[in-house]
Amino acid sequence: MDLRHLKYFIAVAEELNIGRAALRLHISQPPLTRQIQQLEEELGVQLLVRTPRGVELTQAGEMFLEEARNIRSLVEQAIERTKRAGQGKLGRLDIGIFGTGILSAIPQMLHLFRDTHPDVRVVVHTMTKDEQIEALRQRRIALGFNRILSPLPDIENELIIKEPLFLVVNANHPLSRQESVSFMELAKHPLVLFPTGARPNFVDRVMELCANMGFTPEISQIVGDVVTGVALVAGGFGITLVPRSATTLNLPGVVYRPFFDSLSATIDLSCIYRKDDQSAILQAFLGVIRAFREQHGGQ
Amino acid sequence: MDLRHLKYFIAVAEELNIGRAALRLHISQPPLTRQIQQLEEELGVQLLVRTPRGVELTQAGEMFLEEARNIRSLVEQAIERTKRAGQGKLGRLDIGIFGTGILSAIPQMLHLFRDTHPDVRVVVHTMTKDEQIEALRQRRIALGFNRILSPLPDIENELIIKEPLFLVVNANHPLSRQESVSFMELAKHPLVLFPTGARPNFVDRVMELCANMGFTPEISQIVGDVVTGVALVAGGFGITLVPRSATTLNLPGVVYRPFFDSLSATIDLSCIYRKDDQSAILQAFLGVIRAFREQHGGQ
DNA sequence: CGACGCAATACCCAAAAGGTATGCCAGCGA
DNA sequence: TCGCTGGCATACCTTTTGGGTATTGCGTCG
């Protein structure tokens, strides 16, 4: 049996006249007669009774009509869904983010993507950098967000934005009286840094920036994550640094201050994905990321 | 697109190797390659990525595989259901019965039919003889049960059983002391008869039987239905007659007695249906009716 | 670097779908 | 009652297309 048989039978059942149905199908009457006969023979069931004025459906014919319409609509739906999947408009996208990535630009991009691709189910997995790479290789995720990365042969690494760093000080700290501060202040105060976990990471980036400015900072503590770090500053344990997006973290007793003398005091937000992944959904998401990057001019 | 494409794609998706899939489909590899290419082209979507060791599904391919399996099972189900409908094993049967037909052999036949055709939905409509004929002509029912019928050109009338009649008397009546009675007793007692409604009916049948025995009964009342008639007897209003199947009607103060001298004191139970109705479900039901008739030897 | 495995291509044949002409039958009007 | 009409079925031809065989092309892996 064939989808053609279904189409033809539906036409005949709706017209109740083989000739008219043939007209509607843009074929001539004899082949249609033959196809219907074939269908009946294949099913071993009489679907039509031939009357002097046309045809009528038997009960089996009624049953088959219902099923045929059902199948036809399912086929149309299947084609539609597959096309949409092929365009990256339907399906599932698994993304790896790092612990506090949720404070960065990531939510904005997720939002943009969901608006333009409402039928793609986005599943976010919190994982470390190494876990992301492992998950990419096993195809458990298609995309990961991260900050500090060494190049890998099979993984593409695409910069999204360079975020300027902000100083975080206690509201009672003398530096809080300035609107903006000098990066050199970092040499004079004990630093709380983060995260613990796979190196190189944010700690190394800060050390590198300080080295560029010609000093080595005093590190009082290295804590697990940005929230803990800022909480310690709120509690009076020194100062710290965060990417601009983390300044949305509104803890009482803490103020954020930009640097007036260090354009290079930035931290990258990047995404990583398999070099060999051509999936339409990933490409669609990369499109959103690139649009986002254009819009933010690299920072 | 064609059901063949679905079958082929499912095979390829399951084998992840076009050559092996071709083997499984009992065709050679090149036509299968071509069919899959055709399918991809028609959908405008890449379903497979060709690797050195075979093929892999794209996300769109995964989507299409799911849909294709879905469609295939629906098609199989459609064929199965249509075949069963063609054999009268699936569908709906509308039956007309008369008011108290539910007391006769009808429930037994319905039961037999339901046991052998569990997926046919039997819908019973209570209607008079004339309503049944009208409903048959309009195809609102496929079969009617009735007792007294004149032949009609378009309606077949098939006898099911001849039921012997039973005398119904009050438990205090002198006749109740006999195990069986003579039909001639009817000449000596006022008769309650039924039903009111389209003639000829049960009343005429009783009159005919009496005439055959050479007397005219005294009719005290004609009431709507058998239950009312028996209830009147229970209340002391004369005697009546019922078909054997109605003796299941167990009213207090009433006894049923057979006739020892009248083999012909019977009433027919018949069924009626359109002479032109070849529907498998009706034929199946008629089969049950005929089996029932054989089993009961005509009475 | 050559052998192997697999998909793709080229080309042919056969099956089957579609077309035209015609037959056959029932109902209907002159 | 006898054509005439409308409808499905049949016969036969043409064209499309599915399937087969042979071969090529392209990675990968000893």
Side-chain angles (χ1 to χ4, degrees), chain A residues 1-4 6 42-47 56 59-61 63-64 66-68 70-71 74-75 77-79 81-87 90-93 139 279-282, chain B residues 1-4 6 42-47 56 59-61 63-64 66-68 70-71 74-75 77-79 81-87 90-93 139 279-282:
Chain A
M1 197 175 61
D2 233 332
L3 290 183
R4 183 183 45 257
L6 299 186
E42 190 176 336
L43 293 172
V45 171
Q46 194 183 343
L47 300 173
E56 289 174 6
Q59 286 183 318
M63 178 72 65
F64 191 70
E66 199 177 306
E67 300 282 342
N70 215 335
I71 291 167
L74 210 69
V75 168
Q77 194 184 310
I79 293 173
R81 285 170 63 84
T82 305
K83 282 183 178 170
R84 280 162 50 74
Q87 293 161 5
L90 177 65
R92 172 179 169 146
L93 179 66
R139 294 186 186 275
S279 109
I281 294 181
L282 174 63
Chain B
M1 197 176 59
D2 232 332
L3 291 182
R4 184 187 42 259
L6 300 186
E42 189 177 338
L43 293 171
V45 171
Q46 194 184 344
L47 300 174
E56 288 175 8
Q59 284 183 320
M63 178 71 66
F64 190 70
E66 199 177 305
E67 300 283 341
N70 214 338
I71 292 167
L74 209 71
V75 168
Q77 194 184 312
I79 293 173
R81 285 170 63 84
T82 306
K83 281 183 176 168
R84 279 161 50 74
Q87 292 161 5
L90 177 66
R92 173 179 167 146
L93 179 66
R139 296 187 185 275
S279 105
I281 295 182
L282 174 63

Side-chain angles (χ1 to χ4, degrees), chain B residues 5-213:
Chain B
H5 289 115
L6 300 186
K7 190 171 89 181
Y8 286 6
F9 179 75
I10 291 170
V12 171
E14 282 172 359
E15 297 290 342
L16 293 176
N17 177 313
I18 297 186
R20 269 207 311 279
L23 216 63
R24 184 171 120 184
L25 292 166
H26 306 297
I27 63 173
S28 61
Q29 170 258 316
L32 182 54
T33 292
R34 204 154 17 104
Q35 293 292 324
I36 297 292
Q37 287 172 335
Q38 242 174 51
L39 180 62
E40 287 185 320
E41 192 168 345
E42 189 177 338
L43 293 171
V45 171
Q46 194 184 344
L47 300 174
L48 303 177
V49 289
R50 280 68 172 175
T51 70
R53 289 203 309 286
V55 295
E56 288 175 8
L57 294 182
T58 63
Q59 284 183 320
E62 298 274 7
M63 178 71 66
F64 190 70
L65 175 60
E66 199 177 305
E67 300 283 341
R69 283 185 170 137
N70 214 338
I71 292 167
R72 191 175 59 170
S73 81
L74 209 71
V75 168
E76 278 165 15
Q77 194 184 312
I79 293 173
E80 198 46 45
R81 285 170 63 84
T82 306
K83 281 183 176 168
R84 279 161 50 74
Q87 292 161 5
K89 297 265 179 65
L90 177 66
R92 173 179 167 146
L93 179 66
D94 288 90
I95 295 179
I97 61 169
F98 50 93
T100 52
I102 211 66
L103 292 172
S104 75
I106 295 172
Q108 295 176 56
M109 284 182 282
L110 291 181
H111 199 87
L112 265 166
F113 184 73
R114 294 186 86 121
D115 282 352
T116 48
H117 299 75
D119 295 329
V120 176
R121 190 166 151 233
V122 176
V123 181
V124 173
H125 307 265
T126 298
M127 38 177 79
T128 65
K129 188 187 342 177
D130 291 341
E131 285 170 347
Q132 283 188 18
I133 289 163
E134 179 72 2
L136 278 176
R137 291 193 170 130
Q138 295 175 2
R139 296 187 185 275
R140 296 203 318 276
I141 63 173
L143 184 90
F145 284 107
N146 232 306
R147 291 206 180 275
I148 316 277
L149 287 152
S150 330
L152 290 164
D154 53 341
I155 307 286
E156 190 65 51
N157 179 356
E158 188 166 329
L159 177 67
I160 301 171
I161 47 168
K162 289 184 173 295
E163 287 188 87
L165 295 180
F166 277 58
L167 182 71
V168 190
V169 294
N170 191 286
N172 299 325
H173 195 281
L175 284 176
S176 74
R177 266 167 270 144
Q178 298 176 229
E179 270 309 295
S180 58
V181 299
S182 165
F183 196 82
M184 297 307 291
E185 298 286 348
L186 292 185
K188 307 173 194 161
H189 304 276
L191 268 177
V192 175
L193 281 180
F194 52 86
T196 54
R199 309 292 280 261
N201 60 18
F202 186 53
V203 176
D204 302 279
R205 173 62 178 154
V206 174
M207 300 294 275
E208 179 192 349
L209 286 168
C210 294
N212 289 348
M213 298 296 276

Side-chain angles (χ1 to χ4, degrees), chain A residues 2-290:
Chain A
D2 233 332
L3 290 183
R4 183 183 45 257
H5 289 115
L6 299 186
K7 190 171 90 180
Y8 287 5
F9 179 74
I10 291 170
V12 171
E14 281 173 0
E15 297 291 341
L16 292 176
N17 177 316
I18 296 186
R20 268 207 310 278
L23 218 61
R24 183 170 121 184
L25 293 166
H26 306 296
I27 61 172
S28 61
Q29 170 259 317
L32 182 55
T33 291
R34 207 157 11 105
Q35 292 292 324
I36 298 292
Q37 287 172 335
Q38 243 174 48
L39 180 63
E40 288 185 319
E41 192 167 344
E42 190 176 336
L43 293 172
V45 171
Q46 194 183 343
L47 300 173
L48 303 176
V49 290
R50 280 68 173 173
T51 70
R53 289 204 308 286
V55 296
E56 289 174 6
L57 294 181
T58 62
Q59 286 183 318
E62 298 273 7
M63 178 72 65
F64 191 70
L65 175 60
E66 199 177 306
E67 300 282 342
R69 283 184 171 138
N70 215 335
I71 291 167
R72 192 176 56 171
S73 80
L74 210 69
V75 168
E76 279 164 14
Q77 194 184 310
I79 293 173
E80 198 46 46
R81 285 170 63 84
T82 305
K83 282 183 178 170
R84 280 162 50 74
Q87 293 161 5
K89 297 267 180 62
L90 177 65
R92 172 179 169 146
L93 179 66
D94 288 88
I95 294 180
I97 60 169
F98 49 94
T100 51
I102 209 67
L103 291 173
S104 74
I106 295 172
Q108 295 176 54
M109 286 182 281
L110 292 179
H111 199 86
L112 264 166
F113 184 73
R114 294 187 85 121
D115 281 352
T116 48
H117 299 75
D119 295 330
V120 176
R121 192 168 150 232
V122 176
V123 181
V124 172
H125 307 266
T126 297
M127 36 177 80
T128 65
K129 188 186 341 177
D130 291 342
E131 284 170 348
Q132 284 188 19
I133 289 162
E134 179 72 3
L136 278 174
R137 291 198 169 125
Q138 296 175 2
R139 294 186 186 275
R140 296 203 320 274
I141 63 173
L143 184 89
F145 284 108
N146 232 304
R147 290 207 181 274
I148 316 277
L149 286 152
S150 330
L152 290 163
D154 52 341
I155 306 286
E156 190 65 49
N157 180 355
E158 189 166 329
L159 176 67
I160 301 171
I161 46 169
K162 287 184 175 296
E163 288 188 87
L165 296 180
F166 276 60
L167 181 72
V168 189
V169 295
N170 191 287
N172 299 325
H173 194 282
L175 283 176
S176 75
R177 266 168 269 143
Q178 297 175 231
E179 272 307 297
S180 59
V181 298
S182 165
F183 195 81
M184 296 308 289
E185 296 287 346
L186 293 184
K188 307 174 195 160
H189 304 275
L191 269 178
V192 175
L193 281 181
F194 51 86
T196 54
R199 309 292 279 261
N201 60 17
F202 186 53
V203 176
D204 301 280
R205 174 62 179 156
V206 174
M207 300 293 276
E208 181 192 349
L209 286 169
C210 293
N212 290 347
M213 297 297 275
F215 65 93
T216 307
E218 177 196 345
I219 296 176
S220 68
Q221 301 197 49
I222 296 184
V223 297
D225 62 274
V226 63
V227 179
T228 310
V230 176
L232 284 185
V233 172
F237 290 81
I239 63 175
T240 189
L241 289 170
V242 296
R244 179 172 52 198
S245 56
T247 61
T248 54
L249 193 62
N250 238 330
L251 266 64
V254 153
V255 296
Y256 300 95
R257 293 290 178 258
F259 294 106
F260 59 75
D261 60 352
S262 183
L263 287 173
S264 64
T266 60
I267 178 101
D268 295 350
L269 177 65
S270 306
C271 66
I272 54 177
Y273 51 89
R274 293 173 68 103
K275 281 184 178 160
D276 65 355
D277 190 342
Q278 293 304 309
S279 109
I281 294 181
L282 174 63
Q283 300 309 318
F285 198 94
L286 290 177
V288 167
I289 285 177
R290 284 160 195 161

